[in-house]
Amino acid sequence: MNYQWYPGHMTKAIRMMQENIKLIDLVIELVDARIPLSSRNPDIDRLAAGKFRIVLLNKSDLADPACNRQWVQYFEQQQIHVLEVNSRAGSGVKAIQGLVQEACKEKIERDRRRGIVNRPVRAMVVGIPNVGKSTFINSFAGKACTKTGNKPGVTKGKQWIRLNKGLELLDTPGILWPKFEDQQVGMRLAFIGSMNDEVILVDELACDLIQCLQQLYPQALPKRYDIDGAEEPPQVLAQIAERRGCYGRGQELELERAAGLLMEDFRSGRLGRLTLERPGI
C-alpha cells in the first residue's frame, strides 16, 4: 500500500508558519515517542533554521521505557534539548519551563545586556497531526485554552497563548510533508493515526503492523489475544478476528473489523509499551 496524505489545508498552514517564524525565539517540536524520527517533519528543520530548539518525546507512556532513554541520549548527542512527556497525564510538563530557560539562555542574557527585562520568550509549538500538541498546551497552561481532539487536523488556525510573563506559545496546525521518500515513514505515521484512516486500507495497515511487531515485540500479540502469532500476518489477523468474535453473515470472518480493533489496541497502549524505531537502526 502507498502511504501518503497531504490535504490542502496543510499548504496553508506551512505558509502561516513561514509568515510567523520571524516573531519566534524558540521552536518546541512534539514527536511521538514510539516513532521519534518518523514523526519529525523535515520541513520544520528548514523553517526553524537559526531558532532555539526543544524536542518533546510526547506519549512517552505508550513507548518502551528503555527506548525512551535511548532516544533522549540520541537527541542530546545532537545538541538538541529534549524531554520525555506524557501530556495527557501531565508527566514531565513541569520541567519544560526550566528547559525553555536553558534553551534560550543566550537570548535572555542578550536582552538583559540591552536593558530589556520581562520580555517573554515566544515559542512556536509544532508537530505532525495527532501528536498531541493541543493536549500538551492545555496541560502546560493548566487549563483548556485550545481546542483538542483525537483526530488529525483539529487545530486549523493560529492561536497565541500567554502562559506567564516569561513565555508565550503559538499553537499551529499539525502538518505532514508533501511526499514520503521512505514509505516506512508513511507506514509508521499511519500506525499512530497521523493520517486520515478513511484514505487507508485498514486490513493492509494491520498486517504491516503485525509484521513489525513480530520483529520487534514477538510476544505482544500472543499475550494480548491468546494466539500463536507466528504465522504470516494475514493468518495472524484471522486469528485475532476469531478470538475477538469478528464474524459476519454466514460466520465469515470480518478481517476489517479485527484490523480496526488491533489498530485501536496499539494506539491506546493496550498491546503494551512499544517503540517501533530505535536509534541507529
Side-chain angles (χ1 to χ4, degrees):
M1 180 168 53
N2 182 50
Y3 292 99
Q4 202 66 48
W5 186 57
Y6 191 73
H9 75 267
M10 291 187 182
T11 300
K12 182 178 179 181
I14 196 71
R15 289 199 196 104
M16 181 270 286
M17 294 166 68
Q18 290 170 338
E19 292 169 359
N20 287 280
I21 194 67
K22 60 182 178 293
L23 306 173
I24 299 301
D25 305 304
L26 170 71
V27 173
I28 300 176
E29 181 181 8
L30 271 73
V31 301
D32 191 302
R34 295 167 293 182
I35 54 167
L37 289 187
S38 291
S39 57
R40 296 195 78 193
N41 186 333
D43 288 344
I44 298 300
D45 284 334
R46 174 180 53 80
L47 186 71
K51 302 295 180 180
F52 301 113
R53 301 289 297 277
I54 288 176
V55 167
L56 300 180
L57 295 170
N58 198 28
K59 303 187 180 182
S60 60
D61 58 308
L62 302 178
D64 187 324
C67 292
N68 285 344
R69 292 190 290 271
Q70 292 173 10
W71 280 112
V72 167
Q73 293 175 356
Y74 170 86
F75 284 111
E76 287 178 343
Q77 289 170 357
Q78 307 296 316
Q79 304 300 310
I80 296 175
H81 293 85
V82 60
L83 190 68
E84 293 179 45
V85 297
N86 170 9
S87 298
R88 193 169 298 280
S91 174
V93 172
K94 290 184 179 179
I96 296 174
Q97 186 71 50
L99 195 64
V100 168
Q101 298 295 309
E102 175 66 22
C104 297
K105 60 183 180 181
E106 291 181 21
K107 179 261 182 195
I108 295 170
E109 180 58 32
R110 186 167 61 245
D111 285 349
R112 186 178 294 116
R113 289 197 301 267
R114 294 173 177 173
I116 302 172
V117 294
N118 296 327
R119 179 184 174 188
V121 171
R122 306 192 91 184
M124 179 182 284
V125 182
V126 301
I128 62 172
N130 210 33
V131 78
K133 296 185 306 301
S134 297
T135 301
F136 156 69
I137 290 175
N138 290 344
S139 179
F140 195 17
K143 59 184 178 181
C145 55
T146 69
K147 185 178 180 182
T148 63
N150 59 3
K151 293 183 179 180
V154 169
T155 304
K156 297 293 186 182
K158 178 174 66 174
Q159 299 185 75
W160 277 103
I161 301 99
R162 186 176 181 89
L163 294 187
N164 51 55
K165 66 179 182 179
L167 181 61
E168 294 179 355
L169 298 181
L170 174 61
D171 190 17
T172 61
I175 55 170
L176 295 174
W177 51 107
K179 184 179 180 181
F180 303 131
E181 299 297 337
D182 182 354
Q183 278 294 295
Q184 292 290 309
V185 169
M187 179 184 71
R188 294 181 190 119
L189 292 173
F191 287 162
I192 66 170
S194 291
M195 295 185 192
N196 187 339
D197 284 337
E198 295 177 2
V199 304
I200 294 170
L201 298 175
V202 67
D203 52 341
E204 290 190 21
L205 178 66
C207 285
D208 285 341
L209 178 61
I210 289 168
Q211 185 175 38
C212 187
L213 294 178
Q214 286 175 327
Q215 295 171 355
L216 295 174
Y217 297 96
Q219 295 305 311
L221 297 176
K223 181 178 180 181
R224 174 65 179 170
Y225 301 111
D226 191 23
I227 60 176
D228 179 82
E231 292 80 1
E232 291 297 312
Q235 283 69 51
V236 174
L237 184 59
Q239 291 178 354
I240 294 172
E242 291 175 356
R243 285 296 187 183
R244 287 297 184 262
C246 298
Y247 292 102
R249 291 182 179 179
Q251 291 299 294
E252 291 185 4
L253 289 174
E254 293 185 333
L255 297 181
E256 187 172 335
R257 182 178 157 202
L261 292 174
L262 171 60
M263 297 313 305
E264 178 58 29
D265 281 349
F266 168 72
R267 292 170 181 175
S268 65
R270 286 190 287 268
L271 294 180
R273 299 183 65 173
L274 310 174
T275 297
L276 305 184
E277 287 183 325
R278 312 292 170 80
I281 299 178

